[in-house]
Amino acid sequence: MSERRARPAARNSVKSVLRRALTTPQSPPAETAPPSPSSTAAEPPEVASVVQAALYRDGVRVSSPATLAETFRELREAPSGMAWIGLARPTEGELLSLAAEFDLHPLSVEDAMEAHQRPKLERYGDTLFVVLRAARYLDAPEEVDFGELHVFVGPDFVITVRHGAAPDLSAVRRRMEESPDLLKLGPEAVLYAILDAVVDGYAPVVAGVQNDIDEIETEVFRGDPEVSRRIYELSREMVEFQRATRPLVGMLHGLMAGFAKYETDEELQRYLRDVADHVTHTSERVDGFRQALTEILTVNATLVTQQQNAEMRALAEAGFEQNEEIKRISSWAAILFAPTLVGTIYGMNFRHMPELSWSFGYPFAIGLMGVICGGLYVIFKRRDWL
C-alpha cells in the first residue's frame, strides 16, 4: 500500500485530538458527512474562501478542484501527487477541516485563525508552519500596506492562508507552473518560491520609502509645518517593516542550517541563499531608514526650535521698539502737559486770584511754563527717553 493511502489509518488518534482541541459544536466536515441538504448548503462559503486549489504530479498540474472536499478526495486517490491550496481569510470550519485532513498542529491552526502573528518558522513533526509579513507600497496615499501570510508545508501539500491583499500568490503559482523542473522538487520548492515573492515585494516598498525620505528632507529644510506628522507616520511604518523583515533573517538561516539533515536539493539551497541575501540587504536598508528618520526628526526639531527662537527674538525686538516709541510719546506728552496745566489754572478767571492783578504775572506764567518744560526735557533726555 502506498504511503498516502496508509496515512489515514495511522493518524486517527491525532485527528481525534484535533477535533477535541479545535472543533466547536457544528456539523461534521463536508467530506465525511453523508449527503444532506445541510451539507450542501454549507459548501458555498468554502468555495468563496478557496482562492485556488490544484493537484500536481511531477511538476505538472493534473487537476483543479473547486472545493476542499474535492481536493482531499483527489489527493487520496493520487498518493504520489502534491496539493497546493490557496485560501484568503478562510472560515474557522475550513481551517478545522484542513487540520483534520493533514494532521496540522492545533497551535498552528489557532495562529492561522487569529492572524496578527510575528514572522516565525515552526516545525511540527513533518509539517512546517511559516508566518510571513508581506508589504506593498501604495502610491496614492504614499504609505506602506502590510499583509499576513501563513504557510503550511507538509510531505505532499502546501496550504497558504492569506490575511491581506499582499502578496500576489497567483503570480507565484504561474511562475512555478512554468518551471515544472523546479515544481517537481515538491512542497519545499513552493515554500522557497513564496519566500522569494514576499522578499521581492519588499523592493518596491524600499524604493517608495527612499523617495518619501528624500521628499521629507526637502520639506524639512523648506519649513513645511506638516512634515513632523509625516516623519512620525513613516517612522511607525518602518517599525512595522522592521518587524516584518528582521525575523526573516533568522528564519532563513534556520532553514539553511537544516539542508544536510533534511537532504534539501542543491538547486533549492542556492535558491534559498539568494533569498537570504535579499532579506539581509532589505533588513539593513530598513535599519538605515529608521536611523535616517530619527536623524531627520532631530534636525527638524532643531530647525523648528531655531525658527521659534527667531520668531521670539523678532517679537522681542518689535516689543522693544514699541516700548521706545511709547517712551518718546509719553515724554512729549508730559512736556506738553506742563504749559497746558499752567495755562488752564490761570485761565479759570476767578475774581480773587492773587496773580491776576500782578504786573509780572504774565511773564511769570510764561517763565514757569518754560522752566517746567525745559526741566522735563532734560530729565527725559538723560534717561534716553528722547
Side-chain angles (χ1 to χ4, degrees), residues 50-118:
V50 178
V51 177
Q52 195 172 42
L55 267 67
Y56 300 89
R57 187 180 294 112
D58 295 327
V60 178
R61 184 191 289 221
V62 295
S63 177
S64 299
T67 65
L68 291 179
E70 293 179 13
T71 304
F72 300 157
R73 176 179 55 78
E74 293 186 18
L75 187 59
R76 294 192 196 102
E77 295 172 355
S80 61
M82 177 190 73
W84 183 352
I85 303 171
L87 304 174
R89 298 183 180 89
T91 63
E92 183 177 345
E94 289 168 342
L95 287 176
L96 292 175
S97 66
L98 288 168
E101 178 67 24
F102 295 110
D103 298 337
L104 304 181
H105 195 278
L107 293 178
S108 63
V109 176
E110 182 181 356
D111 288 344
M113 287 180 183
E114 295 180 356
H116 304 292
Q117 303 293 320
R118 64 175 180 82

Side-chain angles (χ1 to χ4, degrees), residues 271-318:
Y271 194 77
L272 184 61
R273 290 192 187 97
D274 180 66
V275 175
D277 290 341
H278 290 171
V279 169
T280 302
H281 176 71
T282 301
S283 181
E284 292 173 352
R285 291 292 303 275
V286 175
D287 292 342
F289 288 156
R290 286 203 63 187
Q291 181 64 30
L293 287 170
T294 301
E295 294 174 355
I296 291 173
L297 189 60
T298 303
V299 171
N300 182 63
T302 302
L303 293 176
V304 169
T305 302
Q306 291 177 350
Q307 183 179 2
Q308 291 176 345
N309 291 339
E311 292 175 354
M312 293 297 295
R313 186 166 55 250
L315 289 174
E317 292 175 354

Side-chain angles (χ1 to χ4, degrees), residues 56-360:
Y56 300 89
R57 187 180 294 112
D58 295 327
V60 178
R61 184 191 289 221
V62 295
S63 177
S64 299
T67 65
L68 291 179
E70 293 179 13
T71 304
F72 300 157
R73 176 179 55 78
E74 293 186 18
L75 187 59
R76 294 192 196 102
E77 295 172 355
S80 61
M82 177 190 73
W84 183 352
I85 303 171
L87 304 174
R89 298 183 180 89
T91 63
E92 183 177 345
E94 289 168 342
L95 287 176
L96 292 175
S97 66
L98 288 168
E101 178 67 24
F102 295 110
D103 298 337
L104 304 181
H105 195 278
L107 293 178
S108 63
V109 176
E110 182 181 356
D111 288 344
M113 287 180 183
E114 295 180 356
H116 304 292
Q117 303 293 320
R118 64 175 180 82
K120 61 182 179 179
L121 183 148
E122 296 177 345
R123 183 177 291 275
Y124 299 98
D126 58 356
T127 301
L128 277 177
F129 176 61
V130 182
V131 178
L132 303 172
R133 294 293 305 277
R136 59 175 182 162
Y137 185 80
L138 305 179
D139 291 323
E142 293 186 337
E143 62 184 24
V144 182
D145 177 55
F146 294 94
E148 190 168 330
L149 178 65
H150 298 185
V151 186
F152 298 89
V153 182
D156 56 356
F157 66 88
V158 176
I159 303 169
T160 59
V161 179
R162 185 160 51 88
H163 297 274
D168 183 10
L169 295 182
S170 60
V172 178
R173 190 185 292 267
R174 287 194 301 270
R175 189 179 68 176
M176 292 297 290
E177 289 178 352
E178 292 171 358
S179 304
D181 291 339
L182 183 61
L183 185 56
K184 72 179 181 181
L185 296 178
E188 277 190 335
V190 177
L191 172 61
Y192 297 156
I194 293 173
L195 287 169
D196 184 59
V198 171
V199 173
D200 285 347
Y202 293 152
V205 179
V206 170
V209 171
Q210 181 64 67
N211 184 65
D212 286 346
I213 291 177
D214 293 340
E215 292 179 356
I216 286 174
E217 289 178 342
T218 303
E219 292 173 359
V220 164
F221 291 101
R222 195 171 56 196
D224 192 329
E226 297 294 329
V227 70
S228 297
R229 180 176 181 178
R230 189 176 181 187
I231 294 173
Y232 174 73
E233 292 175 348
L234 189 57
S235 297
R236 289 187 60 184
E237 291 176 354
M238 288 305 96
V239 171
E240 291 295 323
F241 202 7
Q242 196 173 50
R243 290 174 181 171
T245 58
R246 181 172 290 179
L248 274 180
V249 178
M251 290 168 53
L252 293 173
H253 283 290
L255 283 175
M256 290 189 291
F259 282 164
K261 179 178 179 180
Y262 297 101
E263 300 179 353
T264 304
D265 183 83
E266 291 185 3
E267 181 67 19
L268 292 182
Q269 292 184 25
R270 289 191 289 268
Y271 194 77
L272 184 61
R273 290 192 187 97
D274 180 66
V275 175
D277 290 341
H278 290 171
V279 169
T280 302
H281 176 71
T282 301
S283 181
E284 292 173 352
R285 291 292 303 275
V286 175
D287 292 342
F289 288 156
R290 286 203 63 187
Q291 181 64 30
L293 287 170
T294 301
E295 294 174 355
I296 291 173
L297 189 60
T298 303
V299 171
N300 182 63
T302 302
L303 293 176
V304 169
T305 302
Q306 291 177 350
Q307 183 179 2
Q308 291 176 345
N309 291 339
E311 292 175 354
M312 293 297 295
R313 186 166 55 250
L315 289 174
E317 292 175 354
F320 177 77
E321 292 178 358
Q322 289 177 353
N323 290 336
E324 293 298 315
E325 292 296 329
I326 291 173
K327 287 193 292 186
R328 292 189 185 96
I329 294 172
S330 300
S331 299
W332 285 113
I335 293 172
L336 295 176
F337 177 72
T340 303
L341 177 63
V342 175
T344 302
I345 292 174
Y346 286 101
M348 290 188 292
N349 295 324
F350 288 112
R351 182 178 298 275
H352 300 288
M353 289 183 68
E355 292 84 1
L356 291 180
S357 59
W358 185 29
S359 58
F360 295 103

